[in-house]
Amino acid sequence: MTTELLLDHYTKHLRVPTVAAQYRSLAREAEDRNLSYEEYLLALLEAESESREENQRQRRLKQAAFPVHKTLDSYDFSLMPSLNKNRFLTLAKGDFVEKKENVIFLGNSGTGKSHLVTGLGIEMIKNGYKVKFITAAELVEELLLANEEHKLSALEKKWLKYQVIIVDELGYVPFSKTGSELLFQFFAGRYERANVMITTNLEFTEWTSIFGDEKMTAALLDRLTHKAHILLLNGESYRFRQSMKQREEGDQ
């Protein structure tokens, strides 16, 4: 009993909760399987390591603040033939983050842009990256508030802690002149320093309607599209086709 009390004390002191929770059961398993002391210790440390990695993933997932949890497995690529599935899935390996390459999803409403960018963001979290999801309207609102409070520099440092920032629904809501300029500065500040993923329903030729100034828009597009993966999602609504497919399968 004294040994167990000491083990409980030291595992708590050393902050190894999985070892504390599993050392007894793993000891019995090691005895049954006639494992060596080293193999038993390895099993304990592996369990602790796996638990910590999973806890870190869950923390990163919570920090990302996805409005809806959607994975790439649940996206039906057959409903979006304009998107090359194999080429897209290579992005899930995360090389584009290391190379600080942007990913831009262009397509009509309902084509699954938010689904795909969320799924890709979740894959990046699994790969160990810090990700943040925010709509373009929410980001501009945050930038405007920070500008009013003279905290833009602090906000920029906060955002640079994330290797991947997902800006969803760019072009759905018009911005004020100040908001557009701040958003330009935000994107420009991440240029070749960190990654950004964007979803938009506007073609590049229409971005002037968001940022107003043609020269500023051209300068921004030059930065965003430099070393970028541009994914075109064309055709009718993915959501509509998905619901029709489910209905057809239900009628069979």
Side-chain angles (χ1 to χ4, degrees), residues 163-222:
Q163 291 110 320
V164 179
I165 289 181
I166 298 170
V167 181
D168 196 30
E169 299 182 344
L170 181 67
Y172 285 75
V173 179
F175 308 127
S176 65
K177 185 175 183 295
T178 304
S180 299
E181 290 171 352
L182 290 172
L183 188 59
F184 169 84
Q185 291 170 19
F186 175 83
F187 285 134
R190 289 185 71 82
Y191 177 57
E192 294 192 327
R193 296 170 73 187
N195 169 275
V196 65
M197 293 200 285
I198 297 171
T199 73
T200 179
N201 62 334
L202 298 179
E203 295 181 11
F204 291 139
T205 54
E206 300 175 295
W207 279 36
T208 308
S209 64
I210 308 173
F211 296 97
D213 185 272
E214 286 188 12
K215 288 185 178 179
M216 184 171 71
T217 304
L220 175 61
L221 284 170
D222 185 54

Side-chain angles (χ1 to χ4, degrees), residues 8-26:
D8 290 342
H9 168 72
Y10 284 122
T11 52
K12 186 176 182 180
H13 178 70
L14 294 170
R15 296 179 182 177
V16 283
T18 304
V19 170
Q22 296 191 24
Y23 77 83
R24 295 179 183 85
S25 61
L26 286 176

Side-chain angles (χ1 to χ4, degrees), residues 20-46:
Q22 296 191 24
Y23 77 83
R24 295 179 183 85
S25 61
L26 286 176
R28 288 193 293 271
E29 184 181 333
E31 188 176 7
D32 292 341
R33 295 172 56 193
N34 198 29
L35 298 180
S36 66
Y37 294 124
E38 290 84 357
E39 288 171 321
Y40 168 59
L41 178 60
L42 177 61
L44 270 178
L45 294 179
E46 283 180 341

Side-chain angles (χ1 to χ4, degrees), residues 1-182:
M1 188 64 181
T2 304
T3 301
E4 286 200 356
L5 285 173
L6 286 170
L7 282 169
D8 290 342
H9 168 72
Y10 284 122
T11 52
K12 186 176 182 180
H13 178 70
L14 294 170
R15 296 179 182 177
V16 283
T18 304
V19 170
Q22 296 191 24
Y23 77 83
R24 295 179 183 85
S25 61
L26 286 176
R28 288 193 293 271
E29 184 181 333
E31 188 176 7
D32 292 341
R33 295 172 56 193
N34 198 29
L35 298 180
S36 66
Y37 294 124
E38 290 84 357
E39 288 171 321
Y40 168 59
L41 178 60
L42 177 61
L44 270 178
L45 294 179
E46 283 180 341
E48 183 67 43
S49 178
E50 288 171 4
S51 176
R52 289 189 180 193
E53 287 177 6
E54 179 57 28
N55 288 339
Q56 287 172 355
R57 275 194 294 271
Q58 292 302 320
R59 279 196 293 271
R60 289 195 299 271
L61 194 60
K62 187 176 181 180
Q63 286 176 343
F66 293 112
V68 181
H69 188 101
K70 291 188 175 183
T71 63
L72 296 181
D73 292 340
S74 61
Y75 187 88
D76 189 346
F77 286 88
S78 68
L79 299 180
M80 193 52 60
S82 65
L83 184 65
N84 186 312
K85 179 181 178 180
N86 292 331
R87 189 180 300 169
F88 177 80
L89 291 178
T90 59
L91 291 173
K93 297 177 182 177
D95 291 343
F96 73 96
V97 182
E98 292 298 323
K99 295 176 182 177
K100 298 177 176 60
E101 296 171 342
N102 298 325
V103 183
I104 303 174
F105 295 81
L106 293 166
N108 301 328
S109 178
T111 49
K113 300 183 299 295
S114 297
H115 184 153
L116 287 168
V117 80
T118 297
L120 194 54
I122 289 172
E123 289 300 314
M124 294 309 97
I125 287 171
K126 290 178 182 177
N127 291 343
Y129 297 113
K130 291 185 72 176
V131 177
K132 185 68 174 180
F133 182 103
I134 192 168
T135 66
E138 290 169 340
L139 176 57
V140 168
E141 189 176 328
E142 193 167 327
L143 289 167
L144 286 168
L145 182 61
N147 187 48
E148 288 177 9
E149 297 177 349
H150 306 288
K151 295 179 179 178
L152 275 176
S153 178
L155 183 64
E156 182 181 333
K157 289 179 182 178
K158 168 194 161 185
W159 281 108
L160 281 173
K161 291 179 181 178
Y162 296 98
Q163 291 110 320
V164 179
I165 289 181
I166 298 170
V167 181
D168 196 30
E169 299 182 344
L170 181 67
Y172 285 75
V173 179
F175 308 127
S176 65
K177 185 175 183 295
T178 304
S180 299
E181 290 171 352
L182 290 172

